[in-house]
Amino acid sequence: MTTPDTPGPADPAARLTGLVRALRGHGLRIGPSETVDAAAVLAVLGLDDRERVRAGLAAAVLRSEGQRAVFDATFDLFFPLGVGTPEAVRADPPPLPDDPEPPRFGRPDPLRDDLRERLAAALAADDRAAQGRLAGEVIEALGRYGDGSSPGTDGWSAHQALGRLAPETLLARVLAALRPGGADPADPADRVLADEIRRRIQGFRGLVAGEARRRVAELRGTERIAERAVAPTVDRIDFLAAGRDQLAELRRTVHPLARRLATRLAARRRRAARGRIDLRRTLRRSLTTGGVPLRPAYRLRRPARPELVLLCDVSGSVAGFADFTMLLVHAMSEQFSRVRVFAFVNRTAEVTDLLRGTGGDPARLTARILTGAEVMGHHGNSDYGSALGDFADRHLDAVGPRTTVLLLGDARNNHRDPNLAALRLIDARARRVLWLNPEQPALWPTGDSAALAYAEVVEMHSCRNARRLADLISRLLPV
């Protein structure tokens, strides 16, 4: 395969600036000083050792470990391992199938079977170099789509290639190769080994995805693919589009994010405690500086910490958003004098005690709420009007003049009565009511959404990812 300094976008400075620009597009804060440091790293390391270049540039521009996945995928586009078809594939191209229909898994396919055999051996040996070569062959043999008859219709798909190869089904074969006597599911050592093999298979899937991105980038343009085909950092993952693994990764960021937000709120509280200038004390201080008031004295305010009430829709796709926000606020509970959490689907129930018991398994918070609290009545569909009315009837004593109410949900009411009167009653008693909606504002007037009606009563803010949520909490919550 050709080396990284192959002509093309070969100027190291152009590659570096393109990399930095793409990373900024994904929300990484990389300033001029980090860019200069990265250029110095590149000048010292050169392009001979690609992995050293990767590590050096990551050290220069990244600020947290959570940004590494985005950096690695983008780095592979601007500093690719090679250009064009891998040498192994050019030297021994895969034969074209006689049957133009892509073979389904289970039908005889000598080429796919050979790739699976070699992949199983590479996984058993944990041979990363062999896996990298196989990734190129898999994409060439199984990932190509289109015939090039019209522009933009051909390319390579990692999803297609991996679907045909099915590497996850090789787990038993690799286990048998490493444990010739057979694996015992009850043996802890075998369970650890199985987890390790799954990790290797996941790593190979990443190699195939990277190879597909590299080839498509050569067709469509590196910067375009870096913008569209690289998964965002965890704090920019859309709550409504997040999968199970992404939600689990989001939960792991709860406590670090809570610490940062607590620091911001504490700083805001210190600034808010400084009231108006105390003229008498300021003049007294100025006697030590010749009558010049260099150090003003303030009348200190000692406001009580605010109370917080969360009212969360835990139904359907918004459950992940409510789940993450409840865990985050619970982790920040020391910043408030009192935190009470209520959940609903069409009935409202307090779940504060259930939230306190999530330390062992936060991933099943929503499941525990749905089974352990009466949040559903005679049907299982969202009904914001009924839930707000239930809260106003049975739990209004939780709201007082020092209380900020956070409503979490997409306001999709299944064409039922939105019960604006109940929301007005809550708003009249509270210090402030904020509605955080995980949908983008363009969707608020569509379908069964009552968002625009609710937005006329209380403040409604779009909150699609963890970064936006953190910004709203640090900026809008009272101190």
Side-chain angles (χ1 to χ4, degrees), residues 275-283 285 295-299:
R276 293 180 296 177
I277 289 180
D278 187 326
L279 184 59
R280 179 177 297 177
R281 290 173 55 212
T282 299
L283 291 176
R285 282 185 182 180
R295 294 186 302 121
Y298 295 88
R299 300 180 187 273

Side-chain angles (χ1 to χ4, degrees), residues 251 318-328 355 362-366:
R251 292 187 192 100
V318 298
F321 166 56
D323 184 2
F324 178 81
T325 308
M326 285 189 285
L327 291 171
L328 179 63
L355 189 61
R364 295 189 55 80
L365 171 60
T366 302

Side-chain angles (χ1 to χ4, degrees), residues 46-253:
L47 295 174
D48 293 335
D49 189 330
R50 181 168 175 266
E51 292 309 311
R52 285 181 62 193
V53 173
R54 182 197 301 270
L57 293 182
V61 302
L62 299 186
R63 300 188 181 188
S64 70
E65 183 62 28
Q67 300 171 340
R68 185 60 190 258
V70 170
F71 172 85
D72 283 340
T74 310
F75 175 89
D76 288 339
L77 293 173
F78 287 91
F79 293 84
L81 185 61
V83 177
T85 306
E87 291 178 2
V89 179
R90 289 202 303 269
D92 187 17
L96 294 175
D98 296 330
D99 185 357
E101 180 186 357
R104 300 184 184 92
F105 187 75
R107 291 179 54 188
D109 180 10
L111 174 59
R112 184 192 62 207
D113 292 343
D114 175 65
L115 290 170
R116 284 170 56 82
E117 290 288 344
R118 292 159 57 198
L119 176 59
L123 291 170
D126 198 17
D127 188 342
R128 296 284 293 177
Q131 292 174 37
R133 292 191 296 270
L134 278 168
E137 294 185 51
V138 167
I139 285 295
E140 182 70 21
L142 306 178
R144 185 72 182 257
Y145 64 86
D147 56 5
S149 58
S150 58
T153 60
D154 57 340
W156 288 270
S157 167
H159 179 74
Q160 173 181 294
L162 291 168
R164 295 178 182 177
L165 186 68
E168 60 278 358
T169 62
L170 296 174
L171 175 63
R173 187 181 304 183
V174 178
L175 270 174
L178 295 176
R179 288 277 195 275
D184 181 5
D187 187 346
D190 285 336
R191 290 202 299 269
V192 171
L193 180 59
D195 289 341
E196 170 62 17
I197 295 170
R198 291 188 185 94
R199 185 193 63 77
R200 295 178 189 178
I201 292 173
Q202 190 63 29
F204 176 75
R205 294 178 68 91
L207 292 175
V208 174
E211 176 68 14
R213 276 196 303 267
R214 178 187 70 79
R215 296 211 193 181
V216 174
E218 292 177 8
L219 285 177
R220 308 282 190 262
T222 301
E223 295 198 2
R224 180 182 179 187
I225 299 305
E227 176 186 355
R228 300 185 179 184
V230 175
T233 54
V234 64
D235 63 339
R236 292 166 65 91
I237 294 173
D238 194 320
F239 286 120
L240 298 185
R244 183 174 58 183
D245 293 340
Q246 291 174 319
L247 287 174
E249 190 176 358
L250 269 172
R251 292 187 192 100
R252 287 193 290 271
T253 69

